[in-house]
Amino acid sequence: MVAKRQISVREFRLADLDDVKELINRTINVCYNGFYLKEVMNYFDMYNWDGNILKAARDGYIVVVETQGKIVGTGSVIGDTILRVFIDPGHQKQGLGRMIMNELERQAVSNGIKTLQLRALANARKFYESIGYLTVDRGLVEVDNGRHLEYYQMEKKLK
């Protein structure tokens, strides 16, 4: 387990782009490969390309979690929507996701947002429920070859 004093949460910088992209790709490949069909994995690649990450930085707020100079987590908020929360597989279940969500929620509150929403995959739903998010709907994203990606639409009222 990583000691808290070694961890910092900070705002994304342009120089972080390659490290954030690599973190997202590594996490998807380790955690989702073999679970999702090829078409869904391709969708993840397209959705998390550099341009979308930079758009989130421009239009919203991205945080990164660093330990010993290495980025091991990230998350974004644009308006009232949480996007791209990823924790390096070797650092999961250590409270880093909660740290990211706390910072994103704090930023949303400072921007006057009263309710946050997100789309959670099945493997992340329990985590989001544990920090107060409620499932309000289920949805499908159409990917290639008539395949679909199922998600849970979740939201949380902020204080």
Side-chain angles (χ1 to χ4, degrees):
M1 184 165 182
V2 178
K4 288 204 184 256
R5 69 183 176 277
Q6 299 173 328
I7 297 169
S8 65
V9 179
R10 64 168 175 79
E11 189 171 0
F12 169 88
R13 298 185 288 250
L14 185 56
D16 298 328
L17 179 61
D18 289 341
D19 291 337
V20 167
K21 175 71 173 164
E22 196 273 325
L23 163 72
I24 292 170
N25 286 337
R26 183 174 60 254
T27 304
I28 288 170
N29 287 330
V30 170
C31 297
Y32 302 165
N33 200 10
F35 185 75
Y36 288 108
L37 297 169
K38 178 183 78 166
E39 291 87 355
V40 173
M41 295 297 286
N42 290 341
Y43 170 80
F44 291 145
D45 284 343
M46 290 183 337
Y47 182 76
N48 294 302
W49 74 289
D50 298 12
N52 280 342
I53 296 169
L54 292 172
K55 182 178 182 340
R58 184 185 67 239
D59 297 346
Y61 182 72
I62 300 178
V63 296
V64 296
V65 175
E66 277 185 322
T67 183
Q68 299 173 333
K70 182 178 178 187
I71 294 176
V72 296
T74 189
S76 309
V77 61
I78 300 175
D80 66 351
T81 304
I82 300 285
L83 303 164
R84 282 184 208 85
V85 177
F86 288 96
I87 305 298
D88 179 81
H91 291 84
Q92 292 178 2
K93 305 210 183 294
Q94 297 178 19
L96 303 182
R98 193 173 297 265
M99 290 173 66
I100 288 171
M101 293 302 292
N102 287 341
E103 176 60 18
L104 296 176
E105 289 172 6
R106 184 200 62 72
Q107 181 69 25
V109 167
S110 74
N111 289 336
I113 303 297
K114 305 257 189 261
T115 302
L116 275 174
Q117 61 180 338
L118 58 85
R119 291 180 172 182
L121 299 178
N123 63 329
R125 182 179 179 197
K126 187 175 179 181
F127 164 71
Y128 290 116
E129 288 174 340
S130 77
I131 59 171
Y133 285 78
L134 301 174
T135 300
V136 295
D137 201 3
R138 291 172 79 163
L140 295 173
V141 173
E142 188 172 337
V143 296
D144 289 340
N145 298 327
R147 307 287 188 181
H148 294 88
L149 170 63
E150 184 177 23
Y151 65 87
Y152 297 90
Q153 184 68 35
M154 303 184 80
E155 66 179 37
K156 180 179 181 178
K157 305 278 187 221
L158 301 176
K159 297 177 183 180

